[in-house]
Amino acid sequence: MEMRPFKPFGAVSALTLGGGGLGQIWGQTSREEAVATARMAVDCGITHFDMAPMYGRGEAERVIGEAFKGADTSRFHFTTKYRLGHVDHAITYDKLNASLTRSLATMGIERADLFFLHSQLIEDGHVLYQLDEHRDRLATPRSYFFESVIPAFEQLQKEGKIGGWGFALGQESALEAVIASDTPPSAVQCVVNPLNSAGNIAYTTETFDGRKILEACKQHHVPTLAIRAVQAGALTSAMDRELPADDADQRDFDRAGGFRQLASEWGETPARLAHRYALSIEGPSSVILGVKNREELSECVEAERTPRLTDSQCKQIEAACA
């Protein structure tokens, strides 16, 4: 598998095994199959594993702990996350440290190479487009992030518990402000798919522009990892769960009919073509996968082994999603 430059690790595999599928967020699997999938990822050349306690209430991290129990993991990199929200300054470090400590113990590792904020960054006082009644649980205000969260991350770094820190989604202006600041993140997880959509997790603003965040990271030389390559199943052949017609992910699936037609014309499966697209976009060092079994992983590995798409082909794919 291609190894790409990635400042936090030096280099990283072009594909990263994420925890969403292993934690059964994207359809059911078994612990046995999930463990086999993690071990297969190693055989395929994957060196990075991106987990979080929210993926199946710790299930994804338990899978990693079982998959690598007793193994030499020195050549691999592990990341985890925590949905901090907005808590009192006095307990910010304690909340982050407690979650991190549980994650490390569950995965059987001593240090997380990256620790990501799993709540979404917003401007102070911003009213969420959806779910505002849960704002303190789901979102982290920018001033609080600078004043309390970054110092807590830096303390964890000094203690040797994490190698660096980062974040993913939120209100564009808040994300851009931190990316451009004197204390930028070690890495950012950026939405990369031809729909340019984060689906139903884009609840901070009515329209979230993932490409805008990726460009900000490129401009300020902040390393990136691609997420949502198949946009929660919207860019696959069929959704793996029942959703109401007005669900954002279902609307994306309906909008992607032209993409599926193009994939068929090119002799590709939609999921494979979506991963080829994410792998071909300039900027991200690795594409984080949400696969739940070895069959899905194989399809992604095949995509990685296929030549990268041209700019013209990528634009054609984007047009099919318009």
Side-chain angles (χ1 to χ4, degrees):
M1 183 172 297
E2 178 188 7
M3 296 295 292
R4 296 177 168 181
F6 184 59
K7 187 176 179 181
F9 309 158
V12 66
S13 52
L15 297 178
T16 288
L17 184 63
L22 304 184
Q24 302 189 38
I25 290 177
W26 310 123
Q28 291 188 346
T29 189
S30 65
R31 171 77 66 79
E32 180 182 23
E33 179 59 29
V35 168
T37 301
R39 290 173 176 162
M40 176 183 167
V42 171
D43 294 338
C44 292
I46 288 176
T47 64
H48 180 211
F49 301 84
D50 179 68
M51 302 295 131
M54 281 181 60
Y55 299 152
R57 297 186 176 183
E59 176 61 16
E61 294 183 329
R62 287 190 286 272
V63 166
I64 291 299
E66 183 172 333
F68 294 107
K69 187 175 182 179
D72 178 9
T73 59
S74 60
R75 62 192 178 96
F76 306 131
H77 299 283
F78 299 90
T79 64
T80 190
K81 310 176 184 73
Y82 179 54
R83 190 169 69 183
L84 176 67
H86 188 190
V87 302
D88 188 88
H89 289 275
I91 61 172
T92 300
Y93 170 85
D94 294 336
K95 287 285 189 179
L96 288 167
N97 183 57
S99 179
L100 175 65
T101 299
R102 284 193 300 270
S103 291
L104 296 179
T106 302
M107 290 190 285
I109 58 178
E110 295 183 355
R111 174 182 180 270
D113 294 283
L114 287 170
F115 192 23
F116 287 99
L117 183 73
H118 219 171
S119 47
Q120 299 196 21
L121 278 174
I122 59 171
E123 299 289 1
D124 294 17
H126 175 68
V127 175
L128 303 188
Y129 169 63
Q130 295 177 316
L131 305 173
D132 191 63
E133 65 273 22
H134 303 295
R135 178 172 29 172
D136 284 347
R137 182 170 61 88
L138 298 176
T140 300
R142 174 155 63 109
S143 66
Y144 166 66
F145 187 77
F146 276 116
E147 294 165 8
S148 191
V149 181
I150 291 178
F153 280 144
E154 291 174 339
Q155 181 61 35
L156 291 169
Q157 284 182 286
K158 290 178 183 177
E159 294 168 357
K161 296 176 181 177
I162 66 174
W165 58 269
F167 49 71
L169 299 173
Q171 187 180 3
E172 287 99 325
S173 59
L175 296 171
E176 289 173 315
V178 183
I179 290 166
S181 72
D182 293 334
T183 52
S186 307
V188 173
Q189 295 190 351
C190 292
V191 170
V192 178
N193 61 63
L195 291 164
N196 193 30
S197 173
N200 62 21
I201 62 170
Y203 47 74
T204 61
T205 56
E206 186 171 2
T207 56
F208 176 76
D209 188 349
R211 291 175 185 144
K212 188 177 181 182
I213 305 305
L214 179 59
E215 286 303 314
C217 289
K218 288 162 64 175
Q219 179 182 348
H220 295 283
H221 308 290
V222 173
T224 57
L225 301 163
I227 59 173
R228 310 291 283 196
V230 294
Q231 199 337 65
L235 293 167
T236 64
S237 300
M239 289 299 247
D240 55 13
R241 60 205 184 280
E242 293 290 333
L243 296 172
D246 62 350
D247 182 273
D249 293 340
Q250 183 62 50
R251 292 199 306 269
D252 276 348
F253 180 84
D254 296 338
R255 184 158 64 102
F259 169 80
R260 284 186 287 279
Q261 177 61 37
L262 182 64
S264 176
E265 292 172 2
W266 288 5
E268 294 272 15
T269 65
R272 173 171 157 148
L273 185 58
H275 284 102
R276 287 188 67 195
Y277 173 90
L279 284 160
S280 302
I281 294 299
E282 180 187 359
S285 294
S286 186
V287 176
I288 299 177
L289 309 177
V291 300
K292 60 182 175 291
N293 54 45
R294 286 170 286 183
E295 181 179 0
E296 292 178 354
L297 176 59
S298 294
E299 189 172 34
C300 295
V301 172
E302 289 172 4
E304 193 280 327
R305 291 173 178 170
T306 304
R308 303 294 176 251
L309 299 169
T310 65
D311 288 345
S312 175
Q313 288 173 317
C314 287
K315 291 185 185 303
Q316 191 173 350
I317 291 169
E318 291 166 6
C321 292

